[in-house]
Amino acid sequence: MQKYPSLNPSQEFDRSITITNLKLSHLEYKNVEGKNLFERVKGFQNLVGSLRKQKIILYERRNMSPPAQECYGMDDYGDIFYGINFASADYLGLCTNEQAKEAAATAAQEYSVNSCGAPLAFGASKYYMQLKEELKDYWGMNEVILYSAGWLAGFGVIKGLIRPYDFVIMDELCHNCLTEGAFAATKNVSRVPHLSLEAMEKKLSEIRTANPDACILVVTEGLFSMDSDYTDLVALQKLTMKYEAFLLIDCAHDFGCMGKTGKGMFELQGLEDFSNVLLMSGGSKCLSTNVGWVACNSFEVIDYLKFFSSAYMFTNSVNPVQCATALAQLRILKSEVGNRLRVKVLENYHYMKKELNARGYQIIGYPSPILPLLIGNELVCRVVTRLMIDEGIHCNGIEYPIVRMGQARLRVNLQPQHTKEHLDTFIETFHFCFVKATKIVQESLEKYQLALEQQEQAQEAKENQNKANFNDNRMELKKPNL
């Protein structure tokens, strides 16, 4: 196992933890009440404050160098680390690509650095318009609308098209931007069990029977990123046609990296009928920038969104540097280089899965650049993630409410440029850290249980003493006066 040198050689990390309660989720602090807006949120620190003191809240880690296959980082506590990067969602490893950097620099020189307005108010550029045209060509769709981020595209397309009297049916694991958009648009939102076509058809039939003239939008994803799985898009599209519904597919995690030419899961599965389909995606995974977009074969739908999607109309345009970057990366996706990168990242997936399975670990889902490595216990997952940073591996622990309770995992982001040495180092390091983390948590739970028992015994002794004192007082009161 390769050991990456610590940048803090004088510091020996003590990762033992103290458990003060077993409340592991922050969700119970979401719906706080009280008229004092500032005071009512302070209770959250009862949970997060103790975890932060023990350095097992790992939000806001930051890059200290380009997030390539190996990089520098810093955590929220000021500790600098170096090692192999399995945390960044750069599925084809293009963030350090020289062509994209040159394109960004050229655009900055040509346009300076600006985002001078919404697309409808003189905010677009030639790179913006060119990106729209090349995305249309790549996906083979007639029309595309660009948003300033993938989240805005998911929220904006649903909120822009759906009205309070319409219906939305969505997979229960659809991304936050989709659920937020749906509930912002209508109260008529149904979430069906993950990947269940049977449940989807049952709900479609139920709504269509009760509402023969209503608009129904079905929402799913090409690749669900936390489970690395997907539904049968061809069968689902046929169901929507059967019940005169429409289909929105979020391709954020499969765009560029899945399918023979990288178009996404719909290409891999052979979906060809787009007569009632909207496609949506973002550039943060394979285009190295935050641009988002929605594609459709209907000019009228895309033109309508330009005027009635507030996430588009009231947000400044994607700036020229971002558009030029996305264009450069898109051209790589369409090339033979892109084909080779897609093959290599899946080879890395299969190798990692085989080796981790051989050691008894469970990998969730199907082959993709995302490898969800199941841990289960939330606290173990937090400690594993912390220990792996100490050992020179950057990765992300995922837990409730992003995934179900008891289903915590590492979301391992693979890149084609990861070498066999990188993969082997991850495997050996994870095994070492998992064993160590399990022991740390078990010891902490035993101490916590002992502390509870001691508290109960102390409380019981106090109550017994109080009873004894009460009885003594009663006896004193009953003594005759002499």
Side-chain angles (χ1 to χ4, degrees):
M1 180 175 73
Q2 178 172 344
K3 172 75 174 179
Y4 283 82
S6 170
L7 300 184
N8 305 286
S10 62
Q11 180 179 10
E12 180 64 31
F13 292 115
D14 177 12
R15 297 307 183 194
S16 60
I17 58 174
T18 301
I19 299 174
T20 55
N21 66 70
L22 292 178
K23 293 179 180 178
L24 296 175
S25 172
H26 62 267
L27 203 60
E28 66 181 274
Y29 296 98
K30 180 180 179 181
N31 296 319
V32 292
E33 297 180 355
K35 66 179 181 181
N36 191 317
L37 181 65
F38 291 178
E39 286 296 323
R40 71 187 195 181
V41 302
K42 289 183 178 179
F44 179 51
Q45 293 304 315
N46 295 333
L47 170 67
V48 74
S50 64
L51 297 174
R52 188 172 279 130
K53 286 177 183 177
Q54 300 182 74
K55 297 188 176 182
I56 52 174
I57 287 287
L58 295 173
Y59 295 155
E60 296 191 351
R61 285 173 292 157
R62 65 222 66 161
N63 298 303
M64 301 296 285
S65 65
Q69 296 73 49
E70 295 183 19
C71 64
Y72 290 92
M74 178 187 288
D75 65 19
D76 201 25
Y77 315 102
D79 293 332
I80 298 175
F81 49 88
Y82 177 84
I84 310 172
N85 179 16
F86 290 96
S88 297
D90 182 17
Y91 298 158
L92 296 185
L94 294 176
C95 78
T96 57
N97 165 42
E98 291 300 325
Q99 293 166 258
K101 289 193 285 185
E102 290 172 9
T106 299
Q109 288 295 327
E110 186 175 356
Y111 276 89
S112 191
V113 286
N114 73 83
S115 179
C116 289
L120 298 179
F122 202 49
S125 66
K126 71 175 184 182
Y127 294 111
Y128 180 96
M129 304 308 293
Q130 202 170 347
L131 179 59
K132 283 208 308 180
E133 290 302 313
E134 295 200 23
L135 283 169
K136 282 164 42 176
D137 178 67
Y138 182 49
W139 257 358
M141 303 296 283
N142 292 340
E143 299 294 335
V144 163
I145 180 173
L146 295 184
Y147 288 81
S148 296
W151 196 98
L152 292 173
F155 179 91
V157 63
I158 299 178
K159 184 66 168 60
L161 294 176
I162 297 301
R163 299 294 169 256
Y165 39 79
D166 296 330
F167 293 82
V168 177
I169 311 173
M170 58 200 319
D171 188 292
E172 64 179 344
L173 297 189
C174 275
H175 191 268
N176 171 268
C177 67
L178 305 172
T179 57
E180 292 282 342
F183 283 106
T186 177
K187 64 180 181 180
N188 304 318
V189 179
S190 301
R191 301 176 76 178
V192 300
H194 186 46
L195 306 184
S196 174
L197 291 177
E198 181 181 356
M200 185 67 78
E201 180 165 20
K202 182 179 179 182
K203 183 56 68 174
L204 274 166
S205 176
E206 174 189 311
I207 293 175
R208 179 55 73 213
T209 300
N211 304 272
D213 297 320
C215 175
I216 305 173
L217 178 67
V218 170
V219 184
T220 191
E221 298 190 18
L223 179 69
F224 288 87
S225 65
M226 296 304 157
D227 286 29
S228 187
D229 58 7
Y230 42 82
T231 192
D232 184 336
L233 295 174
V234 176
L236 182 58
Q237 191 271 338
K238 289 179 179 177
L239 278 181
T240 59
M241 291 292 286
K242 177 180 177 180
Y243 292 96
E244 299 179 278
F246 293 82
L247 177 62
L248 170 64
I249 306 172
D250 177 356
C251 306
H253 292 276
D254 49 312
F255 173 84
C257 59
M258 301 297 289
K260 184 178 180 181
T261 63
K263 293 182 176 69
M265 288 307 305
F266 71 83
E267 178 188 33
L268 189 65
Q269 295 186 17
L271 177 63
E272 296 179 348
D273 184 359
F274 296 95
S275 58
N276 69 332
V277 174
L278 291 144
L279 298 176
M280 167 249 146
S281 191
S284 60
K285 309 303 183 293
C286 287
L287 298 184
S288 305
T289 187
N290 288 332
V291 62
W293 64 91
V294 174
C296 183
N297 279 334
S298 167
F299 164 80
E300 292 80 8
V301 167
I302 298 301
D303 204 45
Y304 185 89
L305 284 171
K306 290 178 182 178
F307 291 88
F308 292 99
S309 177
S310 56
Y312 173 82
M313 176 172 274
F314 296 101
T315 304
N316 269 21
S317 178
V318 189
N319 69 55
V321 173
Q322 289 178 288
C323 290
T325 300
L327 272 168
Q329 306 294 42
L330 179 59
R331 289 163 185 168
I332 292 175
L333 299 186
K334 296 188 289 186
S335 71
E336 184 56 38
V337 173
N339 293 338
R340 291 197 298 270
L341 292 174
R342 283 184 284 273
V343 170
K344 184 62 170 67
V345 75
L346 291 181
E347 288 177 356
N348 284 349
Y349 171 93
H350 288 296
Y351 178 79
M352 282 270 279
K353 182 177 188 295
K354 177 174 70 73
E355 294 299 319
L356 287 164
N357 284 164
R359 287 161 174 76
Y361 296 108
Q362 182 181 349
I363 307 303
I364 302 169
Y366 307 128
S368 82
I370 305 163
L371 187 142
L373 174 51
L374 185 66
I375 290 176
N377 181 277
E378 285 74 18
L379 195 50
V380 172
C381 187
R382 289 179 185 176
V383 178
V384 165
T385 308
R386 174 79 268 177
L387 292 174
M388 291 190 75
I389 292 175
D390 296 344
E391 297 295 326
I393 301 287
H394 316 334
C395 58
N396 295 317
I398 306 296
E399 62 182 67
Y400 182 82
I402 301 173
V403 296
R404 293 184 179 90
M405 283 292 290
Q407 293 286 304
R409 65 201 61 176
L410 296 186
R411 184 181 182 275
V412 183
N413 292 323
L414 297 168
Q415 298 179 19
Q417 296 83 358
H418 281 136
T419 65
K420 184 176 180 296
E421 183 183 18
H422 288 147
L423 305 181
D424 288 338
T425 300
F426 176 93
I427 294 162
E428 296 302 323
T429 303
F430 170 73
H431 178 69
F432 169 79
C433 293
F434 179 78
V435 172
K436 186 175 180 180
T438 302
K439 182 180 179 182
I440 288 172
V441 172
Q442 184 59 42
E443 290 174 350
S444 301
L445 286 171
E446 289 172 0
K447 291 178 183 177
Y448 174 70
Q449 187 63 40
L450 179 61
L452 285 182
E453 291 172 1
Q454 290 172 342
Q455 289 175 13
E456 291 172 0
Q457 291 170 1
Q459 182 64 28
E460 184 178 351
K462 183 178 180 180
E463 291 173 358
N464 289 338
Q465 185 62 51
N466 288 339
K467 288 178 183 178
N469 292 340
F470 177 75
N471 290 333
D472 289 344
N473 290 336
R474 287 183 64 190
M475 290 299 293
E476 287 291 329
L477 290 172
K478 287 181 179 180
K479 285 182 180 180
N481 293 324
L482 299 177

